[in-house]
Amino acid sequence: MTFNSTILTLPGLGNSGPQHWQSVWEREHNFLRVEQKDWETPVCADWIETLDQTIKQFDPGKVILVAHSLACTTVAYWAQKYNTLIKGALLVAPSDTEADTYPPGTTGFMPVPLIKLPFPSIVVASSNDYYVTTNRAKLFADSWGSEFVNIGDAGHINVASGFGDWDAGLELLKRLDI
C-alpha cells in the first residue's frame, strides 16, 4: 500500500514501543514520528508546540496526522490554537483525560476540546477501552466533526490488546489519503 501524503504519527502517553502499530507503520511505510520531549509527564502546551513546529516542516495541505490516545487530545488542542488546514487526521483510541481512569502526570490536557476540527478526520474507538467510554469517544467524534468508527472489543487499540500489525487501520488511513 502506498500513500501520497506526508504521514506523521503521534504516540500518546509513554510513547509507542517497537511492536505498536504506529511503529510498525513507520518502518513499513516510512511515516515520520512527532518526537515529544517528555513522554511520561507531558505538558499540553509543549506537545502542541512540537506538533506545530513539525507540521511547519512540510506542506500542511499534504499532512495527515495519525494520533493515538493522548495524542488525539493534543491534535484537538493544536487545531483549537492554530486552526491550520491539514489534509486529515486518524484519531485512534482517544483517551478521556477527564475520566477517573486516566493516569495522573499530565498537565493541561483538560478539558478535552469539543470543537469542530478544520480538516477531515476519523475517530476509531473500541467498545471496551479502559481509557474512554464508547459514549465519550462518540461525543469527541461528533464534536470534532469526525467520522466515528467503533471496531468492537479492541481494548485501547495497542499492543496489549493485540494490535501490532493493523491492516484495517491502514485501510481507514487510506480513506484520508485522497
Side-chain angles (χ1 to χ4, degrees):
M1 184 177 300
T2 59
F3 291 87
N4 301 312
S5 305
T6 301
I7 312 290
L8 301 178
T9 62
L10 292 85
L13 184 65
N15 204 349
S16 292
Q19 302 309 312
H20 191 283
W21 56 267
Q22 285 182 315
S23 302
V24 172
W25 290 4
E26 289 164 11
R27 286 190 305 272
E28 291 181 357
H29 300 283
N30 295 314
F31 298 167
L32 304 170
R33 180 170 296 201
V34 175
E35 289 290 347
Q36 298 292 352
K37 293 180 184 92
D38 185 351
W39 293 108
E40 304 306 322
T41 55
V43 175
C44 185
D46 295 342
W47 274 32
I48 63 174
E49 187 61 29
T50 298
L51 174 57
D52 192 61
Q53 291 303 314
T54 304
I55 290 170
K56 284 180 177 177
Q57 296 174 32
F58 306 97
D59 174 355
K62 295 181 180 177
V63 170
I64 299 176
L65 304 176
V66 179
H68 182 254
S69 194
L70 182 62
C72 298
T73 305
T74 304
V75 170
Y77 271 106
W78 170 79
Q80 184 176 52
K81 181 173 181 177
Y82 292 103
N83 199 36
T84 301
L85 184 57
I86 59 171
K87 195 167 191 177
L90 182 65
L91 306 167
V92 181
S95 54
D96 187 352
T97 57
E98 300 169 56
D100 292 339
T101 55
Y102 196 77
T106 64
T107 302
F109 291 92
M110 292 189 294
V112 176
L114 300 178
I115 57 153
K116 184 168 184 341
L117 301 176
F119 44 81
S121 58
I122 300 170
V123 168
V124 183
S126 163
S127 56
N128 66 337
D129 189 335
Y130 180 75
Y131 297 106
V132 68
T133 65
T134 305
N135 287 341
R136 284 287 283 178
K138 179 81 167 89
L139 172 68
F140 299 156
D142 290 345
S143 299
W144 296 338
S146 306
E147 177 184 344
F148 181 71
V149 177
N150 183 337
I151 62 171
D153 290 347
H156 194 49
I157 314 175
N158 58 7
V159 174
S161 50
F163 289 85
D165 193 20
W166 184 34
D167 291 338
L170 284 170
E171 293 296 331
L172 291 170
L173 177 59
K174 192 66 179 164
R175 290 173 29 196
L176 293 167
D177 187 41
I178 53 174

